[in-house]
Amino acid sequence: MSVDLVGFLGVVLVAYVVPGPDFLVVVRSATEHPAKGRAAALGAQTGLCVHMLAAAVGLSLIAARSPAVYDTIKLLGAAYLVHLGVRAVLAARRAARERVAGREAAGGPADGADARTPAEDGPVHGRWRSGFTQGFLTNVLNPKAALFFLSILPQFVDGGGSTSRQIFFLGTLDIIIGVAYWFALVAVAARLRAFLARPKVRHRWELTTGWLFIAIGIGVAAAA
């Protein structure tokens, strides 16, 4: 089996560095808790596994050539991103109201006094499941991920060998690189937790990421 590894690695690294929905999900999860960030990363890569396997057996080709199937997946992905955004915006506004009510009732802690983030109060299993689900659905409902395996990977495949085996090999390499990249990103983002734990900063962060999710979702739906 002979493949263009150098060219492939270059394309993969660029693809990961350019921020997308999965980037936002992983970073946002990591700032809540490192375990949730790692779970989101593994969920995102598991979603890619689905696309890789589908491409290897040709199922994604059917979806790519069927406008109805492609648009359905695209709209489902857009709806999920909007859902995540709305949840984040509502959570930020609810937390702000609770802080105001707490200060009015009993003089709640000043900004920065409570360094905990909401995710720290939940069970580890719940954090992991939530992060993994968000990462997985964000990627598995992204038809561009399927098209990557269908249109980009074959360019680095040697026509003299088994196409399915080579796509599987390159896809596996892509996923391993992604896990390493996401885990490094989680380690960096997790260092921001103390800063983001400040109520006012947390509020702005939740609103910003929430509206970004909504904007990306609307953009994806509009392009359908």
Side-chain angles (χ1 to χ4, degrees):
M1 179 171 60
S2 175
V3 294
D4 181 9
L5 283 180
V6 175
F8 173 73
L9 291 176
V11 170
V12 168
L13 290 176
V14 171
Y16 277 114
V17 170
V18 176
D22 47 1
F23 179 93
L24 194 56
V25 167
V26 172
V27 171
R28 188 172 183 278
S29 298
T31 57
E32 291 184 17
H33 196 283
K36 185 174 181 179
R38 288 189 290 270
L42 292 175
Q45 297 310 97
T46 302
L48 287 184
C49 285
V50 174
H51 290 301
M52 176 185 67
L53 293 174
V57 299
L59 295 179
S60 292
L61 186 60
I62 299 175
R65 291 183 175 178
S66 172
V69 174
Y70 181 84
D71 288 344
T72 298
I73 296 174
K74 206 170 187 179
L75 290 174
L76 285 173
Y80 183 67
L81 291 175
V82 171
H83 167 71
L84 290 179
V86 170
R87 282 183 56 187
V89 171
L90 293 178
R93 292 179 175 176
R94 182 170 58 251
R97 288 195 299 269
E98 291 173 353
R99 286 197 303 272
V100 171
R103 285 196 296 267
E104 291 177 349
D111 287 346
D114 188 353
R116 294 176 303 169
T117 62
E120 286 184 282
D121 295 325
V124 174
H125 179 71
R127 283 197 302 263
W128 201 95
R129 183 175 56 187
S130 174
F132 184 89
T133 300
Q134 290 181 17
F136 176 77
L137 290 179
T138 297
N139 257 1
V140 82
L141 293 177
N142 183 1
K144 291 183 179 179
L147 290 178
F148 175 83
F149 284 98
L150 282 174
S151 60
I152 303 299
L153 262 64
Q155 297 182 34
F156 302 97
V157 168
D158 176 21
S162 169
T163 300
S164 295
R165 286 177 57 190
Q166 292 180 73
I167 288 178
F168 184 76
F169 169 73
L170 291 175
T172 301
L173 186 59
D174 178 359
I175 290 165
I176 292 173
I177 292 172
V179 170
Y181 172 76
W182 291 134
F183 274 36
L185 186 66
V186 167
V188 173
R191 293 181 176 274
L192 300 174
R193 293 177 65 225
F195 174 69
L196 291 173
R198 300 175 183 178
K200 284 187 177 180
V201 176
R202 187 77 195 178
H203 177 71
R204 295 191 184 100
W205 169 255
E206 293 285 352
L207 285 179
T208 300
T209 55
W211 285 114
L212 279 175
F213 273 126
I214 293 172
I216 293 173
I218 292 174
V220 170

